């Protein structure tokens, strides 16, 4: 029974040692890139990249139906 908790502790410690520092470094790098490029430009590019063609088609068909 105690082995289960030891295995959980080992997994948690591996996350603390490996994953958490990696996430912190990645967040810092992304934040630095956003500050260098500019928030407005990054948000505009993100808006263009996440625009859904399916939503555009749906809204177009809805506008045709309502008019």
């Amino acid at each position: 029974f105690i082995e289960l908790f030891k295995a959980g502790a080992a997994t948690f410690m591996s996350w603390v040692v490996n994953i958490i520092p990696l996430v912190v470094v990645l967040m810092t790098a992304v934040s630095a890139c956003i500050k260098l490029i500019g928030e407005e430009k990054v948000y505009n590019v993100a808006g263009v990249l996440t625009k859904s063609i399916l939503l555009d088609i749906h809204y177009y068909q809805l506008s045709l139906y309502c008019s």
Side-chain angles (χ1 to χ4, degrees):
F1 182 73
I2 195 71
E3 294 300 319
L4 177 67
F5 291 102
K6 286 182 180 179
T11 301
F12 177 73
M13 286 307 295
S14 71
W15 286 1
V16 169
V17 172
N18 295 323
I19 294 175
I20 292 177
L22 176 65
V23 170
V24 169
V25 169
L26 288 173
M27 288 173 46
T28 305
V30 168
S31 178
C33 288
I34 290 172
K35 294 215 185 284
L36 287 173
I37 296 170
E39 283 187 39
E40 194 67 32
K41 289 180 182 178
V42 172
Y43 289 145
N44 289 340
V45 169
V48 169
L49 293 176
T50 59
K51 189 174 180 182
S52 173
I53 296 172
L54 295 177
L55 286 177
D56 284 345
I57 293 170
H58 176 71
Y59 288 132
Y60 176 72
Q61 289 174 348
L62 186 62
S63 67
L64 289 178
Y65 178 74
C66 291
S67 59

